[in-house]
C-alpha cells in the first residue's frame, strides 16, 4: 500500500508505526532528516527513502527507489503536506505519493491523525498528555490511473483525510467552539 497521512507533529511517526503494525513500512522523507542525530542514522540504516526537494532530478531518483520498495512488498508512508502543520489545518498536498501510487498501480490508504499536534507541537520538544485519534480509511484503487489524474486522486484523498478533522479545533479532538459573531455572519434567513 501507499499510506497517505496528514502531519501535525514529530510524534506522528511512532503513532503510525503502532497503528500499522501489520505492515512493513518505509517513509519518503526530506533528506535533511538524515542529519538529525540518531533519528537520521536509523532512517538510513532502515533504508527509508529520502528526497532532495530542491532538486527535481534527485526527487525523481527517490521516487524510483520508492517504486523498488513497493515492488519488494514494502508499504510506503507519505505526508503529502511536506511538513508538519503549524496549526493542525491541512496544508496543500504535494504530488509525489500520488504519482507513485498511480505509476505502480498500488492502492492508496488515507489516514487522518488528529490530536498529535497538541501533544507535541511543531517547534517544541516537550510531550504533553492527551489522546491521539488515528482514522485509517479504506484502500482506494488507482487502476487504469495515469499521471494526468493526479489532481483528482489528490483532491479525493484530501477530502477523505479532512473529514475526521472537520468540526474539531486545530490540534484537538474536541469539537470547535462556535464564535457567536461568526455564527451570526454565517447564518442566512430561510
Amino acid at each position: 500500500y501507499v499510506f497517505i497521512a496528514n502531519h501535525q507533529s514529530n510524534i506522528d511517526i511512532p503513532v503510525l508505526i503502532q497503528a500499522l503494525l501489520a505492515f512493513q513500512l518505509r517513509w519518503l522523507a526530506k533528506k535533511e532528516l538524515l542529519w538529525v542525530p540518531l533519528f537520521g542514522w536509523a532512517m538510513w540504516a532502515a533504508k527509508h527513502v529520502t528526497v532532495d526537494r530542491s532538486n527535481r532530478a534527485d526527487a525523481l531518483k527517490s521516487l524510483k527507489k520508492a517504486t523498488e520498495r513497493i515492488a519488494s512488498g514494502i508499504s510506503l508512508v507519505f505526508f503529502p503536506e511536506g511538513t508538519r502543520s503549524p496549526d493542525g489545518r491541512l496544508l496543500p498536498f504535494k504530488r509525489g505519493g500520488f504519482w507513485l501510487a498511480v505509476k505502480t498501480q498500488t492502492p492508496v490508504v488515507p489516514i487522518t491523525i488528529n490530536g498529535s499536534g497538541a501533544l507535541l507541537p511543531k517547534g517544541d520538544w516537550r510531550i504533553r498528555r492527551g489522546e491521539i485519534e488515528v482514522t485509517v480509511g479504506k484502500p482506494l484503487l488507482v487502476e487504469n490511473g495515469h499521471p494526468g489524474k493526479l489532481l483528482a486522486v489528490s483532491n479525493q484523498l484530501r477530502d477523505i483525510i479532512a473529514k475526521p478533522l472537520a468540526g474539531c479545533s486545530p490540534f484537538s479532538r474536541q469539537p470547535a467552539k462556535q464564535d457567536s459573531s461568526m455564527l451570526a455572519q454565517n447564518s442566512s434567513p430561510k
Side-chain angles (χ1 to χ4, degrees):
Y1 292 106
V2 172
F3 293 100
I4 303 285
N6 64 308
H7 197 14
Q8 294 183 351
S9 170
N10 280 332
I11 208 164
D12 293 343
I13 294 167
V15 165
L16 284 177
I17 291 170
Q18 180 64 35
L20 302 171
L21 280 174
F23 299 93
Q24 180 69 252
L25 300 173
R26 296 296 182 275
W27 266 257
L28 185 85
K30 60 185 178 182
K31 76 170 188 171
E32 293 84 0
L33 292 177
L34 291 173
W35 296 102
V36 176
L38 300 176
F39 180 77
W41 303 327
M43 280 184 58
W44 175 80
K47 299 186 179 181
H48 290 276
V49 181
T50 58
V51 62
D52 180 351
R53 298 184 296 180
S54 66
N55 182 332
R56 185 170 168 77
D58 185 63
L60 291 173
K61 284 182 196 174
S62 296
L63 287 174
K64 185 174 186 218
K65 283 183 193 174
T67 301
E68 292 167 3
R69 299 289 191 281
I70 286 175
S72 70
I74 294 172
S75 294
L76 280 166
V77 179
F78 286 84
F79 293 121
E81 296 164 283
T83 191
R84 289 166 287 149
S85 171
D87 61 6
R89 293 181 180 93
L90 284 178
L91 300 172
F93 281 9
K94 297 182 184 309
R95 299 179 302 189
F98 308 107
W99 179 88
L100 181 68
V102 168
K103 186 84 171 163
T104 62
Q105 297 294 290
T106 303
V108 180
V109 179
I111 299 176
T112 305
I113 303 169
N114 200 356
S116 63
L119 273 64
L120 184 60
K122 187 173 183 172
D124 201 342
W125 289 100
R126 293 172 296 176
I127 298 176
R128 294 158 181 82
R129 299 176 83 167
E131 292 182 18
I132 299 171
E133 181 179 60
V134 176
T135 306
V136 179
K138 294 179 182 173
L140 300 171
L141 301 176
V142 289
E143 292 175 354
N144 303 320
H146 55 83
K149 287 190 170 187
L150 288 181
L151 184 60
V153 172
S154 174
N155 287 340
Q156 180 183 12
L157 284 159
R158 191 175 202 290
D159 291 345
I160 292 169
I161 291 169
K163 192 171 184 178
L165 296 173
C168 290
S169 297
F171 289 157
S172 168
R173 293 181 53 225
Q174 304 301 317
K177 292 180 180 163
Q178 290 260 235
D179 180 357
S180 58
S181 62
M182 283 181 59
L183 189 60
Q185 289 174 345
N186 292 330
S187 61
S188 57
K190 302 226 177 203

